[in-house]
Amino acid sequence: MPKGKGAKGTRVTLKTAKKAIQITPDGKRRLILSKMGITVFPKCLFKVTNVDELDLSRNLIRKLPDNIDRLSSITWLDLHSNKLESVPESIGDMVALTHLNLANNYLTHAGLPSSLGSLTNLKSLNLGLNQLDDLPSTLERLSSLKELGLFDNRLIEPPEFLKVLCNHTKVNVKRNPFTYCQGDGEAMKKKNSDLKEDMFLVYESILCRTCPKIIQREGLARERRGGDAGDVFQKKKNRNYAGLMTPNSVAKVNQDLWRIKENVEYKQTIKHLSIC
């Protein structure tokens, strides 16, 4: 257990850190210090040897040390769900990294160093749930990258370098405020907007007996007019992004907001169905 917890948060000692090392199924030595209320990066970690992976997720860390590159043997670094606003330039010297998770922090474009492009062994990079409106163009150098998480940010348009990476990288850009759609441009935007204005997504179980038939008829009519509605009840196929989805860090909204939203949508649905 941690040595103590005061105004500065949980203090981690060298003894605590050594006891927190676990062996992963693939034989790696992982130091797990997740959910411990840590506010300051523990300097004692620089004295821990023979560690391959470091998990500092779900803490309250606001700043990483400028000499974080001293952890040169680390291949897997998880810092998701902290309070980081920036990443030091020296992280680009941690060339052994293959997995880097920075999701659910307060990172902005100014807080991401161009040196991230030097991590050429990186296979997975998670930058989701931050405040990014742009990304360093140097990320196009990440030739080994297989998974890139950019979901829930402030990207107005996809970064140019994605054209280079997308051939061999799974990219998750969901829930970004893109101002245009790829394909037919403004025509596609208008088409999607028209569909949203007169369509509702509801559970089939709350519909009256005649509603499904009416909806299906309208869907078929929309297809004949060149629409793209299809079968309203067809289940959406979700793409998997292994390594990008982290527990308690990728929720669209918190539970309170979710319940409010669910209640409002339910009332709107009942109002819409009352005319059936």
Side-chain angles (χ1 to χ4, degrees):
M1 294 297 293
K3 183 177 180 180
K5 201 171 189 179
K8 293 184 178 180
T10 302
R11 291 176 294 167
V12 178
T13 64
L14 181 59
K15 182 178 180 180
T16 301
K18 289 182 176 180
K19 286 185 176 181
I21 296 175
Q22 298 182 15
I23 305 299
T24 65
D26 56 351
K28 300 293 181 64
R29 292 169 59 85
R30 178 180 297 179
L31 174 53
I32 302 177
L33 297 173
S34 180
K35 294 191 294 185
M36 293 183 64
I38 301 170
T39 58
V40 179
F41 189 93
K43 293 182 179 180
C44 65
L45 298 187
F46 294 125
K47 299 179 181 179
V48 180
T49 58
N50 299 323
V51 171
D52 305 301
E53 303 178 352
L54 176 59
D55 183 358
L56 282 166
S57 63
R58 303 187 187 100
N59 281 296
L60 304 169
I61 301 172
R62 295 180 179 273
K63 190 175 187 290
L64 297 178
D66 292 333
N67 59 344
I68 193 172
D69 56 317
R70 287 178 57 187
L71 300 173
S72 57
S73 63
I74 298 294
T75 61
W76 188 92
L77 180 58
D78 192 348
L79 291 161
H80 87 260
S81 303
N82 276 280
K83 295 189 175 184
L84 298 174
E85 296 180 1
S86 63
V87 178
E89 193 78 26
S90 59
I91 199 169
D93 295 325
M94 298 179 68
V95 293
L97 277 178
T98 58
H99 293 76
L100 177 59
N101 192 346
L102 294 169
N104 199 19
N105 279 284
Y106 298 94
L107 297 173
T108 62
H109 176 230
L112 284 185
S114 59
S115 61
L116 281 176
S118 301
L119 302 176
T120 53
N121 290 315
L122 209 58
K123 295 180 180 179
S124 175
L125 175 59
N126 193 349
L127 296 171
L129 278 165
N130 278 290
Q131 301 174 11
L132 300 170
D133 56 8
D134 200 0
L135 294 167
S137 59
T138 53
L139 294 187
E140 68 179 3
R141 302 175 191 167
L142 302 180
S143 56
S144 300
L145 200 63
K146 300 299 180 185
E147 298 171 342
L148 176 60
L150 299 175
F151 53 89
D152 293 286
N153 273 290
R154 299 178 180 179
L155 298 172
I156 297 177
E157 59 182 24
E160 285 294 319
F161 71 83
L162 288 185
K163 296 177 182 178
V164 179
L165 294 178
C166 279
N167 291 331
H168 55 274
T169 303
K170 291 182 180 179
V171 182
N172 186 347
V173 292
K174 292 181 179 179
R175 297 181 295 278
N176 276 280
F178 294 138
T179 56
Y180 70 90
C181 296
Q182 294 179 349
D184 295 331
E186 291 299 323
M188 185 174 289
K189 270 177 56 179
K190 185 176 185 304
K191 174 182 171 183
N192 290 339
S193 177
D194 292 342
L195 286 174
K196 290 178 182 178
E197 287 178 1
D198 57 0
M199 289 187 67
F200 293 84
L201 181 62
V202 298
Y203 290 105
E204 187 175 2
S205 59
I206 70 172
L207 295 176
C208 62
R209 292 183 179 180
T210 59
C211 281
K213 295 181 180 179
I214 295 173
I215 293 173
Q216 288 176 356
R217 286 201 300 269
E218 290 182 355
L220 290 173
R222 194 183 302 277
E223 284 184 332
R224 294 191 186 100
R225 294 195 301 268
D228 193 29
D231 185 3
V232 177
F233 301 111
Q234 183 178 3
K235 292 185 178 180
K236 184 178 179 182
K237 293 182 179 180
N238 294 319
R239 294 185 63 185
N240 293 323
Y241 298 89
L244 296 183
M245 306 299 284
T246 53
N248 302 326
S249 67
V250 294
K252 297 181 185 177
V253 291
N254 62 41
Q255 287 295 318
D256 292 335
L257 290 178
W258 180 84
R259 291 190 182 97
I260 293 173
K261 181 180 178 183
E262 186 81 358
N263 188 37
V264 170
E265 289 180 349
Y266 179 78
K267 289 181 179 178
Q268 289 177 343
T269 301
I270 295 303
K271 182 179 178 181
H272 173 68
L273 295 177
S274 63
I275 65 175
C276 293

